Amino acid sequence: MTAPLTLSQAQGRTDTPLIEQTIGQFFDAMAARQGAREALVCRHQGLRYTYAELHTEVRRLASALLGLGLQKGDRIGIWSHNNAEWVLMQFATAQVGLVLVNINPAYRTSEVEYALNKVGCKALVTMARFKTSDYAGMLQQLGRARLPQLQHIFWIDTPGQGEDIAGMQRFSALMASGDAQDARIDVVAATLANTDPINIQFTSGTTGFPKGATLTHRNILNNGFFIGECMQLTPEDRLCIPVPLYHCFGMVLGNLACVTHGATIVYPNDGFDPLLVLETVQAERCTGLHGVPTMFIAELDHPRFAEFDLSTLRTGIMAGSPCPIEVMKRVVSDMHLSQITIAYGMTETSPVSCQSSTATPLEKRVATVGQVQPHLEVKIVHPETGAVVPVGQSGELCTRGYSVMHGYWGDAEKTREAIDAEGWMHTGDLATMDAEGYVNIVGRIKDMVIRGGENIYPREIEEFLYRHPQVQDVQVVGVPDARYGEELCAWIIAKPGTQPTEDDIRAFCKGQIAHYKVPRYIRFVPGFPMTVTGKIQKFKIRDEMKNSLGLTEEKTA
């Protein structure tokens, strides 16, 4: 029994060593050891791969990418919902040291243009379209002149599917051009270090532009491994992953947690559908299920929920936003997820820094985000002085260790703002720690809004809305929402002599910013509540909206 803490600082266990291989080296060894076991099931595509089959296809794609003339360190984007091609890209790029750039499928023209140019993508793999999103059309609209570094665009097709798309090549043709026995793969792999950048994920920026968090093999491979350890994953486990792969939740907490334990990755669909999740868990006899609270709520409340046998479930992760306590109890009792864990982190820390384990008592699981992960340190400091605060006192949560990102791509200044001289990542989250080291997130220093697991910085939306010709000033805040946790609200001061409408503002947003960034509530006001020094009081905007709309804060874990 360890002595109770008096200060809010804790270190993770170190009895299990860190993995010091590249993702490619680790995957090679796992495929050799677990070749006959099922590695990947894509229900919506009707595809199944053993570890040996997946390894062969990954090498075929790696060969094809080298055949394009791409070299170690070059960036290649993936703009897609969940599918087998995403997984092939994740592991093939890692095999030959290409940097995979995750593009949010909700991005629209201005956002994808910024992201691809910011990191200098030479190639892009994309869905042609998905529901109302016409990815091919958006890229054609942008044209090569606005994407000067982009040399190759591949669209994800099914063999024999449809017409060709002008200016794009088929992904199936790219795969066909590769050779799994290509000797160049191993030559390049031998030159890689596990500290090389391998992945860029964009986080919404307070400056109005997303920042490219750059992660290494060592960052995400180890995080995936220790996440799987918390869940007690084994090769017998089958993890249902309805969360998106472009986000760390799908790519690290899902794919890498499975692959580091020889477990099976199961995708119920390309996008989230609660009925397909329930059907998949039953049909594939899944033992694990991931989701943000809104996903679990949608599954539990589905009218056909009682029809499905979910008795194979035991573990999984709920993360992305705070979980209502009653929902957690229902997940444990009605979905058989007695060993579900809670994870907390941020993209910049690969992402998880705190997690509950399968043995964490339920009351700790619903009231905290668990304890510090192995080989990491967390501390809670006074936001002004930087001093570590006593247990039970709130302050800013900071984390240090192997998981801290390489940096923001092409932005040394922002990197220095986030990571201090001693290597601590400052999260901007307010937290407390108890005497056993359990961490509870109590708020945010920054005014970030979390809508259904998506992190949104109001400043980015404000910067965009300022571009509307009839907007003089704008303030964006989050307000409580029973379904998504929070929704966006914009208060707008119109330019003199103009009378913009809510529909005008929404039409301006459409196709330019992701749907979840479009404010649900829009109010036109003569001014903002301010302090005597002229500082805008966002909390007063939030309180006024809560009162006028009759909104109440959800009680959350």
Side-chain angles (χ1 to χ4, degrees), residues 445-479:
I445 293 170
K446 305 163 188 168
D447 59 354
M448 184 174 73
V449 175
I450 303 180
R451 181 192 181 275
E454 292 284 3
N455 292 357
I456 307 168
Y457 285 91
R459 177 75 182 273
E460 184 184 352
I461 318 300
E462 290 162 0
E463 294 274 355
F464 176 77
L465 292 176
Y466 278 129
R467 288 156 45 184
H468 191 287
Q470 296 181 324
V471 170
Q472 177 177 311
D473 204 353
V474 56
Q475 292 294 318
V476 173
V477 299
V479 295

Side-chain angles (χ1 to χ4, degrees), residues 96 144 223 231 294 436 463 499:
V96 290
R144 293 299 172 92
N223 208 245
M231 297 165 65
T294 50
E436 294 176 87
E463 294 274 355
Q499 290 185 306

Side-chain angles (χ1 to χ4, degrees), residues 73-205:
D74 284 345
R75 275 77 64 205
I76 177 167
I78 175 92
W79 195 19
S80 171
H81 286 276
N82 296 7
N83 48 39
E85 291 81 1
W86 216 112
V87 185
L88 294 175
M89 283 288 289
Q90 180 177 354
F91 289 97
T93 50
Q95 286 274 356
V96 290
L98 300 172
V99 180
L100 184 69
V101 182
N102 302 9
I103 308 290
N104 187 332
Y107 273 9
R108 292 298 176 258
T109 48
S110 70
E111 295 158 316
V112 77
E113 177 186 7
Y114 175 81
L116 292 173
N117 288 335
K118 172 69 179 175
V119 301
C121 279
K122 289 190 176 178
L124 175 68
V125 173
T126 181
M127 281 182 136
R129 56 192 56 82
F130 180 80
K131 295 183 179 175
T132 59
S133 300
D134 181 2
Y135 300 112
M138 283 187 265
L139 290 163
Q140 287 169 331
Q141 182 186 334
L142 285 169
R144 293 299 172 92
R146 285 170 67 180
L147 301 168
Q149 296 166 87
L150 192 62
Q151 298 165 10
H152 306 276
I153 303 175
F154 298 93
W155 65 284
I156 297 170
D157 63 321
T158 49
Q161 174 195 350
E163 301 290 317
D164 288 339
I165 300 175
M168 299 187 190
Q169 304 162 71
R170 289 174 179 266
F171 187 84
S172 60
L174 177 66
M175 286 295 295
S177 72
D179 173 11
Q181 305 304 315
D182 189 339
R184 293 177 300 175
I185 300 170
D186 301 310
V187 171
V188 174
T191 70
L192 305 181
N194 71 338
T195 50
D196 291 340
I198 201 64
N199 180 223
I200 295 173
Q201 302 199 28
F202 284 94
T203 68
S204 289

Side-chain angles (χ1 to χ4, degrees), residues 25 51 54 73 85 92 105-106 113 118 124 127 132 170 172 234 239 294 305 334 365 386 410 425 438 458:
Q25 289 167 335
Y51 269 90
L54 186 63
E85 291 81 1
E113 177 186 7
K118 172 69 179 175
L124 175 68
M127 281 182 136
T132 59
R170 289 174 179 266
S172 60
T234 75
L239 180 62
T294 50
F305 176 80
D334 300 354
R365 256 185 286 171
M425 176 79 207
Y438 285 96

Side-chain angles (χ1 to χ4, degrees), residues 32 47 52 55 69 113 115 182 186 188 192 216 227 233 246 283 316 341 347 353 367 393 398 416 480 492 505 544:
L47 296 174
H55 187 249
E113 177 186 7
D182 189 339
D186 301 310
V188 174
L192 305 181
T216 67
I227 286 161
L233 288 185
Y246 74 85
T341 74
T347 306
S353 48
Q393 192 172 313
C398 300
R416 281 193 300 273
I492 294 170
I505 302 299
E544 190 163 324

